[in-house]
Amino acid sequence: MGTVTGPAGDDRIDTSVMHPARRYNYWLGGKDNFQADRDSADQIAAAFPAVRTAALENRRFLRRVVTFLAAEAGIDQFLDIGTGIPTADNTHEVAQRILPRSRVVYVDNDPIVLAHARALLTSASAGVTAYLDADLRDPEKILAHPDLRRALDLNRPVGLLLIAVLHFIRDSEDAYGIVRRLLAELPSGSYLAISNVTTDFMPPEVAEQARLAGAGGGPHGVLAFRSREEFGRFFAGLDLVEPGVCPVARWRPEGEPESRPADADAAVYGAVARKP
């Protein structure tokens, strides 16, 4: 059924200001980034040298989550917020290999991501992909967007993916309330998947350096490192899927290389839960 795109591009691209989607692209070895993105990425990497490992493991976590949701839970609708610049094994590619009818709505607020999404996020003929130019901080805009309503049937279960995006939302910006609002619109049987950086596995001095590095860079530069308890609060009232809250490299790692990175080298919590 093809692809639905959002409105035409705009002039919001400012290459002098770091954007997390482009910084993440740099860590993954991509070329769609600018000097401001690389400078920010290198600043964080100086304090947390394993950040590239964490980025790669987070991407593998996304692939395994989508595989689980499609193959084991039968989910064929996905709302992927904080999409990032397309790379290998995007959500719709993984899902549609298993369930060709899968419908995926991507959401991001970077116009460069929008341009790439239009070019690359094309759906298999039996499914649908849509792209929304919107910010996670405005869940009402996302939920009310006509392209979302055209692509997804919110009367049927949806897989809500918030992968490596909530750590850009401070608690003061109501991160927990945003997740509750999104979940409130989804029916029973829907799933929530989240990953978020943590300092829990770092020595105290390294953790402090990482927090200081993550606290810079303006509103898009902040990294909200969350403890296990803080991360677990996102899943209040939901049924956690085994193995529950754990480092992303340890979440159902079947099919990955046997040598898994140390928790301190992939310091990102991940979990999946079902809405009862």
Side-chain angles (χ1 to χ4, degrees):
M1 296 175 66
T3 302
V4 179
T5 61
D10 54 38
D11 58 358
R12 288 182 293 122
I13 297 174
D14 184 349
T15 62
S16 69
V17 177
M18 185 282 300
H19 192 281
R22 301 194 300 263
R23 181 174 64 190
Y24 190 58
N25 173 264
Y26 174 64
W27 282 330
L28 291 176
K31 299 179 180 179
D32 298 300
N33 48 74
F34 300 98
Q35 192 61 50
D37 310 309
R38 296 189 286 272
D39 288 345
S40 175
D42 290 342
Q43 179 187 16
I44 292 176
F48 178 31
V51 67
R52 289 180 176 84
T53 298
L56 289 167
E57 287 298 326
N58 185 77
R59 188 71 188 182
R60 292 184 176 118
F61 171 70
L62 169 64
R63 185 187 67 236
R64 298 196 305 275
V65 166
V66 175
T67 299
F68 161 77
L69 292 177
E72 298 187 39
I75 297 295
D76 62 0
Q77 301 191 109
F78 296 86
L79 177 55
D80 184 346
I81 303 178
T83 303
I85 294 170
T87 184
D89 284 338
N90 298 292
T91 297
H92 76 281
E93 293 170 327
V94 176
Q96 290 176 356
R97 280 199 295 265
I98 301 165
L99 297 174
R101 66 181 181 274
S102 294
R103 307 167 77 88
V104 179
V105 173
Y106 292 105
V107 182
D108 207 291
N109 65 350
D110 181 12
I112 289 182
V113 174
L114 172 59
H116 282 274
R118 284 181 171 148
L120 299 175
L121 299 183
T122 54
S123 180
S125 59
V128 166
T129 56
Y131 181 90
L132 310 187
D133 183 11
D135 195 305
L136 177 58
R137 296 174 182 82
D138 190 357
E140 301 300 335
K141 178 180 178 180
I142 295 171
L143 292 168
H145 200 291
D147 285 349
L148 182 145
R149 298 288 173 162
R150 280 193 289 266
L152 303 182
D153 177 1
L154 298 187
N155 294 310
R156 296 196 302 109
V158 173
L160 173 59
L161 308 178
L162 301 173
I163 306 299
V165 63
L166 279 168
H167 46 227
F168 299 117
I169 310 294
R170 304 177 183 88
D171 290 351
S172 61
E173 295 175 297
D174 198 21
Y176 297 101
I178 288 169
V179 174
R180 287 195 299 270
R181 178 66 189 94
L182 291 167
L183 280 172
E185 200 73 15
L186 306 182
S188 173
S190 293
Y191 284 80
L192 170 67
I194 303 177
S195 64
N196 197 110
V197 292
T198 185
T199 59
D200 280 2
F201 309 108
M202 302 177 191
E205 63 278 10
V206 176
E208 181 61 21
Q209 290 175 352
R211 282 191 292 267
L212 289 173
H220 290 302
V222 170
L223 278 175
F225 293 90
R226 291 188 167 98
S227 68
R228 181 185 178 92
E229 186 277 331
E230 291 168 334
F231 180 74
R233 284 174 54 196
F234 286 116
F235 300 93
L238 306 180
D239 299 326
L240 281 167
V241 173
E242 290 293 333
V245 173
C246 64
V248 290
R250 299 186 184 277
W251 194 90
R252 298 187 173 224
E254 298 81 6
E256 300 289 1
E258 288 188 13
S259 178
R260 300 276 72 215
D263 293 345
D265 290 338
V268 182
Y269 276 128
V272 178
R274 183 181 184 275
K275 181 177 179 180

